Amino acid sequence: MTILNFPAIRARQSEAHTVLSFAALASDLQKFALIERVARDAEGALSGFQRPQIAGHIREIRDYLEKPEAILPNPIVVAFTENVRILEEQPDGRCEVEIDTSGGAPGLVVDGQQRLTALGQVEEKDFQVFVSAIICRDEEELRRQFVLINNTRPLPKSLIYELLPTVTGLPRRLGDRSVAANIAARLNYDETSSLKGMIYQHTNPSGIIRDTAIQRVIINSMSDGVMREMMREPDGADLSFRLVSEFYRAVKFVFRNEWEDHTPKTSRLVHGAGIMALGYVMEILALLDGARTWDDFSKGLACLVDNTAWTSGEWNFGEGDKRHWKSVQNVNRDIVSLAQYLIGIVRADVKRRRNQEATISEEAAPKVANMK
């Protein structure tokens, strides 16, 4: 049977959306609702949006549902973009919903994937559950609803952030994060990126650098740094992508022994604290030194080589504040202390090089005059 019909009730919530509620057997629900896992193809294009299954959570739900007294009052939220119709709607909202499954399950689970998976493992009975259905105009609207519905739930923030670039019309507080997430994803998948494959995302669990750390570097720069001006250009996202890629290419080159084959546990260079603190160094070199290429950044980073404790030793932040290298944590206080320490050395080096260049220019002036 490819056409499924359910008595439903429509809630008048928004002129732009159709929201329905009805009851369906688990066996029918699995015919029209699909769980689409978040993933990326070889080019980095995003598909799906659901996080990986949590086996222990599913097992607990299944064991509960197998009990005779089990109830499941929370609805499974399913979104549709096609192959669903509302029939015989009454003034009070009562209607019939018709779902065409001839081309496969047309609905995507927005909320309740663990419950639905558990329902599929219950063999003794065909459990009936409530379904809240949202009919969306297109896939972008479907993703938007997923983000907005789950943003206040205990869902991994990194998954929400990874999905942000695929939708529009989000609250302003998510706007900068969306741009940052888009650049971070490109840094992770673009063949020209110095960080290709290194950033941990739900679609790249083998990455070692937290995507939220890279996003914070970008957000800080867009708010108060060099990217603020860059993003006003038509190709601002491209310029920002190249800036971050070139900077961390230089970091990898200058601190190759502390970068290669390391994880956040063995090197604070690839740790969230190091990544974010170095983001402020990128700003200083870009703004004061005009650095844009990895070669420019490498020259500016050279002064830090013998003054860091990425993998051993201790940091001397001054005023009696000495830290074992491993004690620097991914908390705001430690990030600020590390950033101020690194920035102080870099600023002094930039000033020294400028004074040196000015002295050389003054010494060369008489020679030029004598040549005339």
Side-chain angles (χ1 to χ4, degrees):
M1 184 176 180
T2 60
I3 301 295
L4 300 174
N5 294 84
F6 303 95
I9 186 165
R10 179 177 180 177
R12 300 288 182 179
Q13 296 182 343
S14 168
E15 293 297 326
H17 305 95
T18 300
V19 183
L20 307 163
S21 183
F22 58 91
L25 292 172
S27 58
D28 286 335
L29 182 55
Q30 290 169 336
K31 293 176 184 176
F32 66 76
L34 179 68
I35 299 171
E36 190 174 21
R37 307 289 174 201
V38 65
R40 291 184 187 271
D41 61 20
E43 285 71 42
L46 190 70
S47 64
F49 44 73
Q50 283 287 7
R51 60 180 168 176
Q53 292 181 343
I54 303 174
H57 187 200
I58 293 170
R59 186 167 54 251
E60 289 177 359
I61 298 173
R62 181 201 64 205
D63 292 345
Y64 168 71
L65 291 175
E66 288 177 343
K67 297 178 180 179
E69 68 274 15
I71 61 171
L72 196 61
N74 294 337
I76 308 294
V77 182
V78 182
F80 298 86
T81 58
E82 58 184 1
N83 295 331
V84 59
R85 292 197 303 159
I86 298 175
L87 307 175
E88 302 177 4
E89 184 174 358
Q90 304 297 316
D92 61 1
R94 287 181 295 171
C95 60
E96 182 175 333
V97 59
E98 178 185 279
I99 304 173
D100 185 354
T101 62
S102 60
L108 294 178
V109 176
V110 172
D111 187 42
Q113 64 144 329
Q114 314 291 358
R115 279 168 279 152
L116 179 57
T117 303
L119 284 165
Q121 298 177 5
V122 177
E123 298 179 355
E124 298 300 321
K125 55 183 176 181
D126 197 359
F127 211 87
Q128 190 175 41
V129 295
F130 288 110
V131 177
S132 289
I134 308 170
I135 302 178
C136 303
R137 61 177 176 269
D138 52 33
E139 188 170 336
E140 181 184 337
E141 174 61 26
L142 189 154
R143 289 179 182 275
R144 182 183 297 109
Q145 293 303 319
F146 175 82
V147 168
L148 295 176
I149 288 171
N150 286 286
N151 189 46
T152 57
R153 301 283 188 90
L155 201 66
K157 287 294 184 182
S158 59
L159 174 56
I160 293 293
Y161 297 154
E162 193 169 352
L163 293 170
L164 290 180
T166 66
V167 299
T168 57
L170 295 169
R172 185 175 178 179
R173 66 186 177 84
L174 296 176
D176 286 349
R177 179 70 70 170
S178 176
V179 175
N182 192 35
I183 295 174
R186 185 173 171 188
L187 286 164
N188 209 16
Y189 291 95
D190 194 300
E191 291 293 337
T192 65
S193 171
S194 65
L195 298 177
K196 184 178 187 300
M198 298 194 66
I199 301 173
Y200 173 87
Q201 294 179 290
H202 279 265
T203 53
N204 184 40
S206 62
I208 60 171
I209 298 172
R210 300 298 302 191
D211 57 346
T212 49
I214 289 292
Q215 289 169 19
R216 178 49 58 188
V217 170
I218 297 167
I219 289 172
N220 289 341
S221 186
M222 288 194 304
S223 175
D224 301 303
V226 66
M227 290 185 198
R228 184 174 182 177
E229 296 300 320
M230 285 183 172
M231 292 304 295
R232 294 174 180 172
E233 300 295 325
D235 57 346
D238 291 336
L239 293 173
S240 299
F241 159 77
R242 287 196 292 271
L243 181 78
V244 179
S245 179
E246 288 295 288
F247 175 71
Y248 287 102
R249 192 185 308 279
V251 172
K252 290 170 63 176
F253 174 75
V254 173
F255 300 107
R256 62 178 68 85
N257 293 331
E258 292 87 356
W259 183 284
E260 292 180 1
D261 302 320
H262 279 286
T263 69
K265 290 184 178 180
T266 62
S267 173
R268 284 305 183 256
L269 185 62
V270 294
H271 187 273
I275 291 294
M276 285 187 277
L278 280 169
Y280 292 102
V281 174
M282 178 186 74
E283 291 297 321
I284 294 299
L285 293 175
L287 292 169
L288 299 185
D289 227 11
R292 292 295 183 273
T293 68
W294 77 272
D295 189 50
D296 295 336
F297 284 121
S298 295
K299 293 174 183 176
L301 289 168
C303 63
L304 296 175
V305 171
D306 296 322
N307 295 290
T308 56
W310 299 121
T311 60
S312 62
E314 65 178 15
W315 298 95
N316 186 357
F317 294 147
E319 298 182 358
D321 186 6
K322 292 185 178 182
R323 312 274 191 92
H324 183 269
W325 74 271
K326 222 172 192 178
S327 70
V328 175
Q329 299 299 319
N330 192 17
V331 295
N332 189 62
R333 180 186 59 196
D334 287 3
I335 294 168
V336 170
S337 295
L338 179 57
Q340 289 177 340
Y341 170 78
L342 298 174
I343 288 171
I345 297 173
V346 171
R347 279 185 180 276
D349 183 66
V350 171
K351 183 177 180 180
R352 178 191 62 79
R353 286 188 283 112
R354 285 185 174 178
N355 290 338
Q356 188 177 48
E357 291 169 1
T359 300
I360 293 172
S361 297
E362 290 174 2
E363 291 176 350
K367 296 179 181 179
V368 174
N370 293 332
M371 291 175 62
K372 291 183 179 180

